[in-house]
Structure formats: structure tokens, C-alpha cells
Amino acid sequence: MKIICASVTDSIYNQYYLNLLIRKQDFTTIENLIKSGKINLNLEELQSKIKSLSESKKQYRISKVPINSANAEIGITKYKNGFIICSSRENNTTIERTHNWTKQPFLKLYYTENNQNTWSTPTLFANEIKCKYNKGPISFCNKEKEMWITENYVSSDNRSTENKYKLKICNYKLVDGKWIKQKDFPFNDRNFNVAHAAITEDGKTLYFSSDRPGGFGGMDLYYCTKTKKGWSTPINLGAEVNTWGNEVFPTLMEDGTIYFSSDGLIGIGGLDLFYTKNTNGIFLAPINIGAPINSEEDDFHLIFNSKTNKGYFSSNRINKGFDDDLFQFDRYESETKEESTREASTLEKSNNDLKDTSINVRHLIIINNENLEKMNGIKIFDSQNNPIEIESDNNDIQIDSSIKKIKIVKDGYYSKEIIFNEFKNQDTVKLKTNIGIAQADWYKIIYYDLDKSAIRPDAAAERPGAAGGGALRRLQRHELHDGFHRCRRHPARR
């Protein structure tokens, strides 16, 4: 879904205003904006999307990880028999520097183990890594013998405060039981942030977040590949993934799924968790994981084990958005037909139920985007463009759950590629009539000031790339804050 403003020169600052309206589900104000011509969107489609994101709650059991402290904990990462976490907890074994704004120590790395939900007391990890300010989050590769970590630059020059402490990615290798620093990532730059590394196990592809020049907005996602000559020039994941907002905290799964957080894609909170995949060099439209993993606050840095159906993520949902904690979740299957078909019945305005959800079967209902009626005559192909034999009962298409990606084709409609949400076994897919103008199903957001049609002088500097870069200055203001440098906090929440 795309929200289009009267002018793309509008302030990025207002993007967060409409996101706030969505978070509060203030559809009356949004409707007034539509009627006044300030924005152009389908309100019913927006409401349906937000409702569907909020109605997946019974697929998960979520709880706080018991090792959370009174301070910030973020960025949990699997390591050996346990986990590495980033925490600003008090530690009596080291001299503590505290941040002037949060009055908390800076982030350090800790190791902990979870034995049948009995967590060990976190202990300092890799204390030989000297960093004046924050450490983490981190990503491992090469059988956990190599580590990529986000740190702050330390500058003693006359740079302005917002330019002194940019983020950079550092590389360490395990040598004789000690983490030894290697060359920094070559695309670090003191003039912008390069952060949140996610490295493939073979160490040949590195994803990261950056507000380097040439992006789509605030922090964008990029990747580099390692060649014989070194790291390739960063490649932006593109407009399908990156927005006028911030895309941050990428994490990788073994099958190539990329989880990340965004405050520019439509969601139910500040930062919502999404996932995408690289298919032949094209990153497909991100999928919002939905509630209850996503909340009205910031949710980020998710890891998930598809074999155990267990995962972890970070969120500041508890203390009115001002304290980051670690959460754990178990995914389980819907227990009733009603639960598994709620989204479909809402869209179809009927009480038709699907078959019982099976762990070995995914259910699809294909509907017309305009009248929301079920469609038949559908052809489905796999990722190699081979036709898939499907079973269908009352237009409920059943597909083997081992198939991760499909292409849906019907004469007279735009074809659609789907990467299945591994957190759901049922999906409703809408096809659009082919009228000769290609349109994507999930778009980015550009917002407009309420009741104003002209850009404010003070907002002109908020546009990405505009002189002054006010929005980016606000994003960077808290680079030294506990929750990794609140470059993920949007202006409306400061």
C-alpha cells in the first residue's frame, strides 16, 4: 500500500505524524486528510491491513526474558551454547561511564545461557575489546571465529556534537582465545552512520544500515559482497525495502530471510519488524510480522529458530517507550478454524471457514482487489517457474508448506510473487486487474502536514539530502543513547 502526498517535497517529519495516526488508529483524522486532498490512499484497504496485522495474536506466546535489568537490553545474538546480549546494566567490575541524557552506562556485551528457561547471570563478554562508548549489536561468521560489531567513533577534533560520535562497523577475529581487531569495514565514514552488521556464515555477504548519501531517506539497508579485491561497493536494497523513514537492525536466517525494522513501512508501531528475501538480486516486498511481536512502540532485532519455533527480539513496549527489553516467543499453530481464517473472513465479509490448519499445508485464498470476491482459474508456479499442482476446496488453495516462494498468475490480472510468512500457515492474497499501469502492492509512505498544503520553512531542511539535514540531525542526536543510539527514534517521539 502506498500513501501519496500532494508533493514529494513535503517534510519527512510529517511522515511520522501519519504513522502516529495509524498507531493510534485515528482513522477519522486520516479520512479528513484524504477528503481534503492532502493524501491519496484507500482508507478501507489501510484499515483492513492494520486489522489483519493486529489479529495474529494467538499464533505466539510472548514473555519477557528474565535477565532484563532496570536498564537497557537489546540485540540478542546466538553464540555457542547461549547468547550474547547488549546491556547498559550496572557492572561493579569496571569503571562506568554514563550517558548525560539517560544517566545509564553505555552498552557492553554480556554472555548468558538458557537451560529450559533458566537463564544464567550475564557475564561480561570480550572485555578485551576496548570501546569508550557503546558496543553492539554483533554478528558472527566462520563458525563463530569472526565477529562484526557496531561501535561509536571517538573524535577529539572540533566536529559538532552530532558529528563526533557516528556509528561504524568493526571486525574482530578470535585468536588464541582473544578477540583481536582487524581492519575496519572500508565503507565506514565519520560523516555518516554505518551500523548493525548482519553477516552470512561464510563471511562473504554483509548487510548493514546506513544514512550514507544517496539513500531513500534516513537509515537504509545495504549489502556488500566480498571479492578477491575486498568488499564490493555497497548496494542499496532498493525502493521495495527502503523508505523515507529508517530501516535498521537487519538479522539473517540460514535460508536467506532478512529480518529488519522500519518506521517508514506501514505498521502498527514506531519501528515494526518485517522480513524480505533476495531473489535473483531483487529484494521482494517486505512482510510485516504482525502482532503481538509488533506493538505500538519500537520492536527490533529479531532472531528465530525455525526448527524449535522459538525466537527473541527487543522492544521498548513496557515503560512507555523509554526502556529496551528482551522478549522471547514461541510460535504455535492456530487451534481453530475461526482463528486461522479471521483475516480472510474479514476481507470477504463472510463466515466461510478454511480446513483445519496443518503444519504440512499452507492455505491460500485468492481474491479480487476491488470487490474482494474469491477467484478461480488460478495458476501457481514455483521459484523455478515450474507449475505447481494444487488442491482446491471452495477456492481454498492448499500448498505444501515446504514451498517457500510462489508466483500467482491469472489472465487479465497482474501476477504476484509471494514469499510465505513462516509465522503463518494461512494467507489471503489480492490480485489487481491489469489495466496497463503497473502498481506494487506494498508501497512506501510520504506524508503531509495536517491542514496545510505548503511546506514549512523550518521543515524544508528535513528532506533527505536537503541542506541542513534537520531530520537526520535529530536521528543522530542520540547516537550515544542506550538503545543503540536512538538513530531508530523518530522525531515525533523526542
Side-chain angles (χ1 to χ4, degrees):
M1 177 184 297
K2 190 175 187 178
I3 300 177
I4 305 175
C5 297
S7 170
V8 295
T9 62
D10 290 20
S11 168
I12 186 175
Y13 194 87
N14 299 309
Q15 176 178 154
Y16 301 109
Y17 172 68
L18 188 50
N19 253 7
L20 180 63
L21 295 179
I22 294 173
R23 286 172 57 198
K24 301 301 182 184
Q25 298 194 28
D26 186 356
F27 296 113
T28 300
T29 301
I30 295 174
E31 184 177 15
N32 290 336
L33 288 171
I34 295 171
K35 289 180 178 179
S36 66
K38 299 297 191 301
I39 57 175
N40 177 21
L41 62 87
N42 185 314
L43 183 61
E44 290 185 2
E45 187 176 346
L46 173 65
Q47 291 174 308
S48 175
K49 173 64 70 175
I50 299 303
K51 187 173 184 179
S52 70
L53 293 177
S54 302
E55 289 185 343
S56 58
K57 293 185 177 180
K58 291 192 176 182
Q59 294 183 10
Y60 313 94
R61 294 183 181 92
I62 287 183
S63 61
K64 283 184 67 175
V65 175
I67 57 170
N68 284 304
S69 69
N71 293 349
E73 278 76 34
I74 70 166
I76 188 168
T77 303
K78 189 74 179 72
Y79 179 71
K80 296 190 181 298
N81 296 322
F83 300 90
I84 305 297
I85 66 171
C86 308
S87 175
S88 62
R89 65 186 58 212
E90 303 287 343
N91 190 302
N92 295 327
T93 63
T94 59
I95 299 175
E96 298 283 10
R97 292 186 179 92
T98 58
H99 189 273
N100 290 334
W101 189 54
T102 67
K103 307 303 180 185
Q104 294 184 9
F106 292 107
L107 292 173
K108 293 184 178 64
L109 303 178
Y110 291 82
Y111 176 77
T112 181
E113 293 186 0
N114 178 13
N115 184 9
Q116 296 182 344
N117 208 34
T118 299
W119 291 76
S120 64
T121 301
T123 57
L124 282 170
F125 173 78
N127 206 34
E128 64 268 24
I129 297 177
K130 303 302 178 184
C131 181
K132 187 175 181 180
Y133 300 114
N134 291 295
K135 296 179 184 177
I138 61 177
S139 182
F140 293 99
C141 64
N142 295 325
K143 299 181 179 180
E144 300 178 337
K145 295 180 180 179
E146 189 172 355
M147 175 171 61
W148 297 81
I149 179 172
T150 301
E151 299 178 0
N152 290 104
Y153 275 108
V154 179
S155 178
S156 59
D157 60 20
N158 294 323
R159 292 170 181 263
S160 58
T161 300
E162 64 267 26
N163 286 326
K164 276 189 176 182
Y165 308 110
K166 296 297 186 184
L167 310 180
K168 63 177 180 177
I169 295 174
C170 300
N171 179 219
Y172 293 83
K173 289 186 177 180
L174 190 62
V175 180
D176 296 330
K178 297 289 185 180
W179 290 99
I180 307 301
K181 188 170 184 179
Q182 310 297 305
K183 291 182 178 180
D184 284 355
F185 186 52
F187 296 103
N188 291 336
D189 194 301
R190 289 180 178 272
N191 295 309
F192 50 80
N193 296 293
V194 177
H196 307 162
I199 188 84
T200 55
E201 170 55 28
D202 61 8
K204 294 183 178 180
T205 304
L206 187 143
Y207 293 87
F208 63 95
S209 180
S210 177
D211 56 2
R212 60 187 288 118
F216 289 92
M219 301 285 285
D220 278 10
L221 296 183
Y222 294 82
Y223 75 95
C224 294
T225 56
K226 200 168 189 178
T227 67
K228 293 181 179 179
K229 296 182 179 180
W231 289 103
S232 66
T233 301
I235 299 174
N236 190 296
L237 267 60
E240 196 70 70
V241 173
N242 290 312
T243 71
W244 289 78
N246 299 285
E247 283 66 50
V248 288
F249 293 102
T251 57
L252 295 177
M253 288 191 63
E254 292 181 358
D255 66 354
T257 300
I258 305 167
Y259 292 103
F260 68 97
S261 291
S262 173
D263 60 9
L265 293 164
I266 290 178
I268 57 179
L271 284 175
D272 268 22
L273 280 156
F274 296 80
Y275 73 90
T276 184
K277 263 191 176 181
N278 183 350
T279 304
N280 298 323
I282 298 175
F283 291 88
L284 301 184
I287 297 174
N288 189 308
I289 292 176
I293 290 181
N294 285 323
S295 69
E296 289 187 358
E297 300 299 336
D298 289 340
D299 307 289
F300 57 101
H301 201 283
L302 181 145
I303 61 174
F304 177 69
N305 186 327
S306 59
K307 295 179 181 179
T308 63
N309 278 341
K310 295 180 181 295
Y312 301 88
F313 65 100
S314 305
S315 178
N316 66 343
R317 66 185 64 187
I318 297 298
N319 190 22
K320 297 182 179 180
F322 288 98
D323 181 31
D324 294 318
D325 291 303
L326 300 174
F327 290 79
Q328 56 192 357
F329 67 91
D330 295 274
R331 186 196 75 177
Y332 62 100
E333 308 305 325
S334 298
E335 297 176 355
T336 68
K337 295 178 184 179
E338 182 182 358
E339 291 168 3
S340 66
T341 60
R342 185 172 295 151
E343 178 179 357
S345 62
T346 298
L347 290 171
E348 299 166 297
K349 300 177 182 178
S350 70
N351 295 318
N352 296 327
D353 290 333
L354 293 177
K355 294 182 177 180
D356 289 331
T357 300
S358 167
I359 195 169
N360 297 317
V361 174
R362 298 186 190 276
H363 297 271
L364 283 179
I365 289 181
I366 315 299
I367 61 176
N368 185 299
N369 181 68
E370 296 179 357
N371 57 28
L372 303 182
E373 293 182 356
K374 291 182 179 180
M375 302 173 66
N376 51 29
I378 301 295
K379 297 178 182 179
I380 296 181
F381 300 85
D382 63 18
S383 59
Q384 306 299 318
N385 213 31
N386 298 314
I388 298 175
E389 185 175 345
I390 58 176
E391 296 183 12
S392 180
D393 181 10
N394 192 28
N395 297 99
D396 167 23
I397 298 173
Q398 302 169 41
I399 297 176
D400 191 299
S401 62
S402 64
I403 299 173
K404 304 299 183 183
K405 177 191 172 186
I406 62 171
K407 184 176 183 179
I408 302 171
V409 176
K410 179 175 173 59
D411 290 342
Y413 292 81
Y414 288 107
S415 61
K416 193 165 190 177
E417 288 187 340
I418 300 293
I419 295 179
F420 286 113
N421 184 338
E422 58 188 326
F423 295 106
K424 295 173 65 177
N425 279 337
Q426 181 269 323
D427 283 286
T428 299
V429 180
K430 293 183 285 187
L431 294 187
K432 294 185 177 182
T433 305
N434 188 340
I435 57 174
I437 303 175
Q439 298 182 24
D441 185 64
W442 187 282
Y443 287 90
K444 311 305 177 281
I445 316 171
I446 303 172
Y447 300 107
Y448 213 71
D449 255 339
L450 177 63
D451 295 332
K452 292 184 180 181
S453 59
I455 186 169
R456 303 189 317 267
D458 65 313
E462 307 297 338
R463 302 192 315 275
L472 292 182
R473 284 202 300 273
R474 275 188 286 276
L475 292 170
Q476 294 159 357
R477 184 174 299 160
H478 305 304
E479 283 162 2
L480 295 179
H481 186 34
D482 61 290
F484 221 56
H485 343 295
R486 307 290 176 184
C487 62
R488 58 188 176 83
R489 296 283 192 249
H490 47 72
R493 308 234 347 248
R494 299 245 162 81

